[in-house]
Amino acid sequence: MSTELPSSSPPAGDDHGASRRHFVAAAVTVAAAAGAASGSSSAQAQPRADVRFLNPAGMATPATYTHVVEVNGPHRTIYIAGQTGVDANGKLADGFHAQAVQVMENIKTALAAVGGSFEHVVKI
């Protein structure tokens, strides 16, 4: 299967934003072509044994995502969703300071669920 990509140079006089949009459009086209070529008939992602999705006890349970994703392979990587100042009952803490403290407690809980702590964090 052959996919023709748009030219790599943006139209003359175009700004950087349009150049980025051009790049993203090309990347989406390539990704779509790769997905079509893979022969996958299902639009749903297939579960993998090396990926685990968690909503740890002590954190609010969101309806549309999980707080923690653990990926095991040659190395182990943990991804934690962006946290808000919401406690396990779904109540937003009152004020900036209380929300900041709750965010850190949520991250601590998420890390503990996979056997980690703040000393294991590489990037926030």
Side-chain angles (χ1 to χ4, degrees):
M1 179 171 155
S2 175
T3 303
E4 184 178 324
L5 297 177
S7 68
S8 61
S9 59
D14 209 2
D15 65 343
H16 290 292
S19 176
R20 287 186 186 117
R21 285 189 298 276
H22 182 76
F23 175 79
V24 170
V28 168
T29 301
V30 169
S38 72
S40 174
S41 61
S42 172
Q44 296 283 332
Q46 299 300 317
R48 294 178 43 170
D50 57 345
V51 179
R52 187 168 66 135
F53 298 87
L54 300 133
N55 276 320
M59 297 178 76
T61 304
T64 58
Y65 66 94
T66 54
H67 285 293
V68 182
V69 177
E70 178 181 16
V71 181
N72 290 294
H75 303 285
R76 181 172 169 233
T77 305
I78 309 300
Y79 299 94
I80 299 174
Q83 295 298 306
T84 61
V86 175
D87 67 12
N89 298 318
K91 183 177 182 257
L92 182 64
D94 189 31
F96 179 81
H97 182 266
Q99 289 179 27
V101 169
Q102 185 63 52
V103 164
M104 298 315 259
E105 288 298 321
N106 289 346
I107 293 171
K108 182 178 172 182
T109 301
L111 289 167
V114 290
S117 66
F118 283 106
E119 69 185 27
H120 299 108
V121 173
V122 175
K123 182 177 181 181
I124 291 184

